[in-house]
Amino acid sequence: MRKFFPILQTLRSYKRKELPKDILAGFNVAIVLIPQGMAYAMIAGLPPVYGLYASLMPVLVYVFFGTSRALAIGPVAMDSLLVAAGLGTLAIVGLENYIALAILLAFMVGAIQFVLGIFKMGYLVTFLAKPVISGFTSAAAVIIIFSQLKHLLGVDIEGSNQFHRIFLNALQKFPETNFYDLAIGLVGIVMLIGFKKWSRHIPGILIIVVLGILAVYFLNMESLGIEIVGTIPVGLPGFVLPVIEIDNIRQLWPIALTLALIGYLEAISIGKGIEEKNEEDVIDANQEFVALGSANMLGSFFQSYPVAASFSRSAINDESGSKSTLSGLFTVILVLITLLFLTPLFYYLPNAILASIIMVSVFGLIDLEYAKRLWIYRKDEFIVLILTFLITLFIGITQGILTGVLLSLLLMVYRTSKPHFAVLSKIKDSDYYKNISRFVDEVILRDDLLIVRFDSQLYFGNSDYFKNQLYKYMENKGDNLKGVILNAEAINYIDSTATRMLTKVIKKIRNDGIQFYIAGAIGPTRDIIFRSGISKVLPRKFLFVKIKEAVAYFDHPENASGEHERVAYQRNEPSN
């Protein structure tokens, strides 16, 4: 039970003196979460109150299932944009149907995450490489920022998940700008940036929300055409089962899968980052899948749309001294109080203030420094990042991330198809064998012996490359070549295609009167050598633990004691 409900383990060692810190952290997060939640619900195309609904049950569920004391679950900009992008491509008639599909999407996201967690599939997220995520999030941040122009300018701008369409639509509507809305939004942006530079401990979001409400109320700015949040329903969300229909599931599953993986990746990356900073190690990757899945599934029963971990609120939670997931309980309490008693206070909140909060919050997702580092050190990964960025920006969010993943996999396949192939030779006055291209003046070159190292597993994708490289270096040696040693220390796997290739190569080399040796094969590789046809064409006496042993046997086979066979290859069955 403690493994499935980590809160039980937390309570066993929980100290009373830690409670005030959890209370303070929970309230600090709630102060930011309430206006952010309403703003992010607007990004998703939902009424602001659904951001508060998404800040209740999912946060409460994570208290019991989560393993990170600092993660703050709830509505986030990225997932909200993905919801809007995914649902925006469907022919949905009416706001009620749109809300119903958003709730169904939360259930589907949660179900996918929960199943992946139960089957311990956390490794799947490793396919979302850092360049892909960086390019994707940077483009999504740009789209989010420009999608808020309609609230900043106070005009009705047709939405889109493509940057150029949003930009062109905004240009067409710019002459209709309500300059009061624009002034309020710009003041909000300047104040938020100023508060951040002055001190991160200042609750800048809360301050501009309060000032915006007071300005509209006392200056009667509603009469000037200022767009405000308006009436927010008082009370808690009711229990409603998602409307599950096969056609809807078929339409939503691609975006649900994307949200499930992105949401999990956000949670793990934020949690691990905070743990590294604090030198902790408690987060359980697979349990986090279960926690997020449970939060989204159970949240959908109480009218929540998909949620994930927030960068900004998690940082606030950590800086406020959160000691356990119990801080989320106090966040829920403050959101409950708001829904029951305080929603009338938000009636006069300008939409331009919410837009300024969103713009400043997501601007931090644009990671220019990482792109610069890739440009300097890894141009191949920079290409993946920039292509993901451009496709996400101009074609679509789903297409961008799928293309990025595909490009990353292709880059990985390309690298493994042509891995590092080194020719080794002995360093003077030592027993070390190093790459001759790196130690040109320090190695002893021999024409009668070729020692090579292949820095990758051998599989169907690189077997021909290995063979061609080996033959090329053998030709360079000419007729003086009498022996070839393969240093297999870096080879941890040989598939059936590569096994067949290696068998043919060894047979050909030996038929040409040249001896072939394998040195340094690790346990799994030795297992494959013994179980496959390689051992039939290469007797055990030609297998060695170290290169120097293989060289000694090559130089003086008549003096070989066979000690290496007794040490490493004592039995016909695979070694451990």
Side-chain angles (χ1 to χ4, degrees):
M1 289 294 289
R2 287 199 300 270
K3 185 175 182 180
F4 199 69
F5 295 99
I7 186 64
L8 299 178
Q9 182 65 33
T10 300
L11 293 175
R12 283 168 61 91
S13 58
Y14 195 77
K15 298 179 177 61
R16 186 176 298 177
K17 64 181 182 181
E18 296 173 341
L19 184 60
K21 293 184 178 180
D22 277 336
I23 294 174
L24 177 64
F27 284 172
N28 284 343
V29 170
I31 288 170
V32 177
L33 173 59
I34 291 167
Q36 266 191 352
M38 292 191 293
Y40 294 156
M42 292 168 60
I43 292 179
L46 297 166
V49 72
Y50 282 87
L52 299 180
Y53 293 164
S55 305
L56 278 177
M57 185 56 67
V59 180
L60 183 62
V61 170
Y62 187 82
V63 170
F64 295 94
F65 288 91
T67 60
S68 173
R69 63 165 185 80
L71 278 188
I73 303 300
V76 295
M78 180 69 66
D79 291 52
S80 299
L81 181 64
L82 285 169
V83 170
L87 298 183
T89 59
L90 307 179
I92 304 174
V93 179
L95 181 60
E96 289 185 2
N97 292 328
Y98 187 93
I99 293 171
L101 286 180
I103 293 171
L104 173 60
L105 186 58
F107 178 81
M108 292 175 63
V109 169
I112 292 171
Q113 290 173 329
F114 187 83
V115 170
L116 292 175
I118 292 296
F119 287 97
K120 302 186 183 302
M121 303 292 282
Y123 70 91
L124 285 176
V125 183
T126 58
F127 289 108
L128 293 171
K130 173 69 173 175
V132 175
I133 296 301
S134 181
F136 168 67
T137 53
S138 296
V142 173
I143 293 173
I144 291 172
I145 289 171
F146 277 82
S147 71
Q148 294 308 298
L149 285 177
K150 62 180 180 181
H151 301 301
L152 193 69
L153 302 178
V155 295
D156 185 18
I157 300 174
E158 185 179 351
S160 175
N161 63 345
Q162 296 175 335
F163 168 75
H164 59 285
R165 293 186 182 276
I166 298 175
F167 183 73
L168 292 175
N169 292 340
L171 280 181
Q172 291 177 355
K173 293 287 186 175
F174 188 77
E176 303 174 20
T177 298
N178 184 323
F179 288 96
Y180 295 104
D181 273 309
L182 180 60
I184 289 174
L186 291 177
V187 169
I189 291 172
V190 171
M191 290 182 68
L192 283 176
I193 295 173
F195 286 139
K196 279 190 173 184
K197 289 187 175 181
W198 190 10
S199 173
R200 291 187 174 271
H201 298 290
I202 298 176
I205 291 177
L206 179 63
I207 291 172
I208 69 165
V209 165
V210 172
L211 291 178
I213 292 172
L214 293 177
V216 172
Y217 180 76
F218 286 107
L219 301 178
N220 193 26
M221 298 183 75
E222 188 179 1
S223 62
L224 301 174
I226 296 290
E227 290 189 358
I228 58 175
V229 169
T231 302
I232 298 176
V234 177
L236 303 180
F239 180 85
V240 179
L241 291 175
V243 180
I244 300 176
E245 296 180 359
I246 298 300
D247 287 341
N248 291 336
I249 292 175
R250 187 165 51 247
Q251 289 179 311
L252 293 177
W253 79 262
I255 192 66
L257 180 61
T258 302
L259 276 165
L261 295 178
I262 288 293
Y264 174 76
L265 181 68
E266 288 173 336
I268 290 298
S269 60
I270 295 168
K272 288 289 186 184
I274 293 175
E275 283 192 347
E276 287 177 10
K277 184 186 73 171
N278 297 322
E279 297 183 353
E280 299 173 345
D281 186 20
V282 296
I283 194 167
D284 184 327
N286 288 307
Q287 179 61 24
E288 285 302 302
F289 246 146
V290 173
L292 285 173
S294 302
N296 275 304
M297 277 197 299
L298 294 176
S300 70
F301 298 150
F302 294 88
Q303 302 182 54
S304 168
Y305 74 97
V307 299
S310 164
F311 287 90
S312 57
R313 296 195 301 272
S314 296
I316 292 171
N317 204 23
D318 178 55
E319 291 171 2
S320 300
S322 170
K323 295 298 180 181
S324 70
T325 57
L326 284 175
S327 61
L329 179 62
F330 301 106
T331 299
V332 170
I333 290 173
L334 196 53
V335 175
L336 275 172
I337 293 172
T338 301
L339 277 169
L340 290 174
F341 306 108
L342 304 180
T343 52
L345 297 179
F346 291 98
Y347 178 90
Y348 293 102
L349 176 61
N351 285 343
I353 289 293
L354 292 178
S356 67
I357 293 171
I358 294 169
M359 287 179 164
V360 174
S361 298
V362 303
F363 185 78
L365 296 175
I366 303 174
D367 194 349
L368 294 178
E369 288 302 318
Y370 181 68
K372 289 178 182 178
R373 288 199 303 272
L374 289 185
W375 171 252
I376 296 171
Y377 300 111
R378 298 305 301 263
K379 286 188 171 55
D380 52 353
E381 293 188 22
F382 175 79
I383 292 172
V384 173
L385 184 151
I386 203 68
L387 286 176
T388 303
F389 175 82
L390 293 174
I391 292 171
T392 303
L393 200 64
F394 294 106
I395 297 179
I397 289 175
T398 306
Q399 295 90 330
I401 197 164
L402 291 177
T403 303
V405 170
L406 179 60
L407 288 172
S408 293
L409 293 176
L410 289 175
L411 182 60
M412 180 188 71
V413 170
Y414 174 77
R415 286 175 180 165
T416 58
S417 67
K418 293 186 177 181
H420 187 241
F421 192 102
V423 177
L424 311 180
S425 196
K426 185 180 179 181
I427 298 288
K428 298 172 185 177
D429 302 322
S430 77
D431 289 330
Y432 296 109
Y433 287 81
K434 298 294 183 180
N435 188 341
I436 62 173
S437 64
R438 295 177 183 270
F439 298 86
V440 179
D441 299 327
E442 302 175 46
V443 297
I444 302 172
L445 299 177
R446 298 180 56 169
D447 292 332
D448 61 337
L449 181 62
L450 174 66
I451 307 173
V452 298
R453 189 184 72 225
F454 192 68
D455 294 337
S456 172
Q457 59 176 313
L458 263 171
Y459 76 112
F460 66 91
N462 61 25
S463 59
D464 282 342
Y465 175 76
F466 171 85
K467 179 179 66 176
N468 294 334
Q469 289 293 101
L470 180 61
Y471 285 161
K472 182 182 77 172
Y473 287 113
M474 288 177 65
E475 289 177 6
N476 292 341
K477 291 288 185 180
D479 296 335
N480 295 324
L481 184 63
K482 302 300 179 185
V484 175
I485 299 175
L486 171 61
N487 178 14
E489 292 176 354
I491 301 175
N492 58 16
Y493 181 72
I494 307 175
D495 76 353
S496 59
T497 303
T499 298
R500 187 177 179 187
M501 175 276 299
L502 196 56
T503 302
K504 289 182 178 180
V505 167
I506 294 172
K507 189 182 296 184
K508 179 182 182 303
I509 290 174
R510 289 171 63 84
N511 288 339
D512 291 341
I514 301 172
Q515 289 297 343
F516 191 92
Y517 310 87
I518 295 179
I522 61 175
T525 307
R526 292 202 302 271
D527 293 348
I528 295 170
I529 290 172
F530 285 121
R531 288 172 178 165
S532 66
I534 296 174
S535 59
K536 295 179 181 178
V537 298
L538 191 69
R540 283 171 37 233
K541 67 179 182 179
F542 295 105
L543 304 175
F544 296 84
V545 175
K546 297 180 180 179
I547 296 177
K548 68 176 184 178
E549 295 174 354
V551 174
Y553 186 91
F554 170 76
D555 288 334
H556 305 287
E558 70 281 357
N559 297 331
S561 63
E563 182 66 22
H564 71 280
E565 292 184 34
R566 291 195 294 273
V567 172
Y569 306 103
Q570 198 166 13
R571 300 175 297 173
N572 286 323
E573 61 266 23
S575 304
N576 292 323

